Amino acid sequence: MQIHIKNNHQTNRLIQLFIIAVDFAVLCVLLYFVTDAIPKSGSWDDEKERAFWMVCIFAFIIAEYFIPSVIHERAVGAGDILHRSTMLVMTQTLLSYLMLRAIRFLSRVGWHLFVMGLVMLVVIILLRFIERWIVKKLRQAGYNTRTVTFVGSDNELSHLYHKLISNPTFGYRVRCTYGHIEGLNAKGTVSDFEALLSHPEDLRLGDELYMCVPRRERELIERTASLCHHKMIKFYYVPIAEEKLNLQSVLIDDMEVMATYSSPLEEPLNRLLKRVADILLSMLFLIPTALLLPFIAIIIKCQSPGPVFFRQRRTGLDGRDFYCYKFRSMHVNVDSDRLQATKDDPRKFPFGDFMRKTNIDELPQFWNVLIGDMSIVGPRPHMLAHTEQYDKLIDKYMVRHFVKPGVTGWAQVTGFRGETRELWQMEGRVERDIWYIQHWSLWLDLRIIWMTVKTIFKRDKRAY
């Protein structure tokens, strides 16, 4: 039996209040230990200790107000959880330090606040994922749900329905349907729904309404939106498949135009942030690479005659060629510039096979990152022969070259790594590369790096 909560907004509020209460409990526990750890804190009088506690708590109230938790929202990614948790703790720590300086708090507490912030960050991130898991379980049980109405018969609406309903952790339940959606019993047609707009008291639409009709039905769309606003129902318009254009809104001064794609990396500040991160991380990774180089070089030379490094021309930013460096993992062969590596590729020697499975062969690419040919995260660069081949087969293939190629990428950590035997595999990779370009953030890069690091300890079956 499904249990429906009538006012899920109130339930969301309760979830938020619970999360805030847990956060403050964590803060108070940490403050208790940090206060004891501060040198000469034993000589503090009650007023000074109270001032320290009140400043830290007040800073946390401000941080919680401006950076609230979004655990209760229907679809929250791990990257967003990491981003908000980090910003919350950073804001609290910085505000605490600045306010303590402002009130001329004489004890030196900056280092202790920093350590407390690091511990609090780890604890809060762990709590957020636990809290998110609890919310998902509640929704699977029928609590904290949202009821939706679908109006229309287009395939786009069917795709949306399956996306919303297929994952029970989103907490969506169908209220009624006007039109045809496979798998649902319609309450009526779109015409029936239009007729009922004259008698809104007979309509029970739930919390959200999704309408998918031709744009020429402007009057119907506007009347439905107006009714939804009056009844405090969220209204969403879904373009039908024939009218759906893969264009995005872009502002030129105060004028809105539509472009084939847009990316946060078009902003100079974002490009600067990404480049600074690339330089710092590439230098960090090149240190162990330099230490391992003599041992790797000896093993490669013992198992396969030829150079230690493999250098190959690949397609980079704006379609320009560059030389991509790797530790050589195959015997020297004439097919290296046209054939991908396969699972049981006879060209691989034993240590080369091990390097490919553990990503060690990719380490020299951090030199490519340092000199600016590549980025730590981005679409993986392909050999020139594949660029020429897939440009003819996949419509948006070259879009992936509007940003620098990466040592790792969103496609690689979401199931599209390795050999592409069939066209759909490359299409999936390109689709994810374009998604990354359009949704770039520093936090997304950190998430992809973390997901890549995990593959070192958990073997990826597609790594060969």
Side-chain angles (χ1 to χ4, degrees):
M1 178 179 178
Q2 291 182 343
I3 303 169
H4 295 277
I5 304 300
K6 207 167 188 180
N7 192 344
N8 59 69
H9 295 289
Q10 184 176 357
T11 310
N12 284 341
R13 185 61 181 163
L14 289 174
I15 292 171
Q16 285 182 298
L17 290 174
F18 172 76
I19 291 170
I20 291 171
V22 172
D23 288 351
F24 273 100
V26 170
L27 176 65
C28 290
V29 171
L30 290 175
L31 280 173
Y32 175 79
F33 288 105
V34 168
T35 303
D36 288 342
I38 295 174
K40 300 181 180 180
S41 62
S43 62
W44 290 1
D45 55 26
D46 290 342
E47 184 178 349
K48 190 169 186 179
E49 184 172 345
R50 192 181 304 114
F52 178 73
W53 275 65
M54 292 301 294
V55 165
C56 292
I57 290 173
F58 181 64
F60 204 55
I61 291 172
I62 295 174
E64 287 276 4
Y65 178 80
F66 286 102
I67 313 171
S69 167
V70 291
I71 297 299
H72 61 284
E73 293 186 1
R74 300 290 142 178
V76 179
D80 196 33
I81 292 175
L82 177 64
H83 179 198
R84 284 183 170 269
S85 301
T86 305
M87 293 303 297
L88 174 72
V89 174
M90 284 178 58
T91 302
Q92 191 276 335
T93 303
L94 183 60
L95 282 177
S96 296
Y97 178 75
L98 292 176
M99 286 192 289
L100 286 169
R101 291 292 299 271
I103 65 173
R104 299 182 182 277
F105 197 85
L106 298 179
S107 299
R108 295 183 177 181
V109 296
W111 173 249
H112 295 84
L113 286 174
F114 176 74
V115 173
M116 184 181 77
L118 289 179
V119 175
M120 186 161 59
L121 176 60
V122 173
V123 173
I124 284 182
I125 288 175
L126 291 174
L127 284 173
R128 288 293 185 268
F129 284 101
I130 293 171
E131 291 157 356
R132 183 62 179 162
W133 179 82
I134 292 172
V135 170
K136 287 182 176 182
K137 289 299 180 182
L138 285 172
R139 288 173 179 164
Q140 284 179 314
Y143 295 92
N144 190 235
T145 58
R146 290 185 73 81
T147 54
V148 296
T149 293
F150 296 102
V151 180
S153 302
D154 194 78
N155 285 336
E156 289 296 316
L157 198 61
S158 296
H159 294 156
L160 178 64
Y161 158 71
H162 290 294
K163 183 170 289 188
L164 293 180
I165 306 301
S166 62
N167 189 342
T169 61
F170 286 170
Y172 283 103
R173 302 289 183 269
V174 177
R175 173 66 180 167
C176 55
T177 304
Y178 293 92
H180 174 70
I181 294 180
E182 186 178 352
L184 287 178
N185 293 322
K187 193 171 184 179
T189 64
V190 176
S191 297
D192 294 332
F193 174 79
E194 187 173 9
L196 285 170
L197 287 177
S198 302
H199 307 280
E201 65 277 1
D202 296 332
L203 284 170
R204 299 291 182 269
L205 302 176
D207 301 305
E208 299 178 5
L209 184 144
Y210 294 85
M211 172 171 276
C212 186
V213 296
R215 292 182 182 177
R216 64 176 179 272
E217 303 288 347
R218 185 184 183 92
E219 183 181 354
L220 172 60
I221 296 169
E222 291 180 347
R223 287 179 64 194
T224 304
S226 178
L227 174 64
C228 288
H229 297 160
H230 181 70
K231 288 180 170 287
M232 296 296 293
I233 298 168
K234 286 190 175 181
F235 172 80
Y236 298 94
Y237 174 70
V238 183
I240 64 173
E242 292 180 357
E243 297 177 345
K244 189 173 183 180
L245 298 174
N246 292 318
L247 300 177
Q248 294 193 348
S249 174
V250 177
L251 285 177
I252 300 178
D253 195 8
D254 61 345
M255 183 176 179
E256 184 181 40
V257 296
M258 304 303 289
T260 52
Y261 95 103
S262 63
S263 172
L265 287 172
E266 292 176 347
E267 296 292 332
L269 179 59
N270 288 338
R271 289 200 302 272
L272 177 62
L273 285 174
K274 188 172 175 66
R275 181 60 185 149
V276 170
D278 281 341
I279 292 173
L280 294 176
L281 288 173
S282 61
M283 292 176 67
L284 180 65
F285 281 106
L286 282 172
I287 293 172
T289 302
L291 296 174
L292 291 171
L293 177 59
F295 304 99
I296 293 173
I298 291 171
I299 299 173
I300 290 175
K301 286 289 188 180
C302 289
Q303 293 194 359
S304 176
V308 172
F309 295 100
F310 173 68
R311 190 180 75 157
Q312 185 180 62
R313 288 175 65 196
R314 297 196 178 186
T315 310
L317 178 65
D318 295 330
R320 296 192 297 267
D321 300 350
F322 73 100
Y323 280 106
C324 179
Y325 294 93
K326 300 176 70 173
F327 284 125
R328 185 169 58 87
S329 59
M330 293 184 176
H331 298 294
V332 176
N333 63 93
V334 296
D335 296 321
S336 59
D337 287 332
R338 66 181 188 86
L339 294 181
Q340 289 179 315
T342 58
K343 186 174 183 179
D344 299 311
D345 201 315
R347 295 176 296 170
K348 293 185 290 186
F349 52 88
F351 183 65
D353 189 39
F354 168 77
M355 287 196 297
R356 297 181 75 94
K357 289 176 179 178
T358 55
N359 296 314
I360 291 175
D361 65 318
E362 310 282 359
L363 289 176
Q365 287 174 34
F366 290 109
W367 173 253
N368 285 116
V369 175
L370 187 62
I371 64 177
D373 289 332
M374 294 177 64
S375 178
I376 299 291
V377 180
R380 282 293 295 157
H382 293 163
M383 62 181 75
L384 302 186
H386 280 173
T387 299
E388 184 178 353
Q389 174 188 355
Y390 288 113
D391 182 31
K392 298 174 183 177
L393 298 174
I394 301 174
D395 183 42
K396 294 184 178 181
Y397 179 82
M398 295 303 291
V399 172
R400 65 198 301 276
H401 300 111
F402 281 123
V403 298
K404 287 182 182 179
V407 178
T408 185
W410 182 241
Q412 282 64 45
V413 298
T414 54
F416 283 83
R417 181 186 179 186
E419 185 184 10
T420 51
R421 295 183 180 181
E422 299 181 31
L423 184 61
W424 68 267
Q425 292 172 308
M426 183 59 78
E427 289 174 336
R429 182 182 292 185
V430 171
E431 181 182 343
R432 280 158 176 78
D433 287 338
I434 294 175
W435 183 92
Y436 166 79
I437 293 171
Q438 294 175 329
H439 295 85
W440 177 88
S441 71
L442 202 57
W443 304 105
L444 179 59
D445 275 2
L446 291 174
R447 180 185 175 189
I448 293 170
I449 291 170
W450 168 242
M451 293 172 73
T452 304
V453 170
K454 287 196 298 185
T455 63
I456 297 174
F457 304 99
K458 183 180 179 181
R459 182 171 173 256
D460 188 343
K461 294 180 180 179
R462 291 175 294 272
Y464 48 80

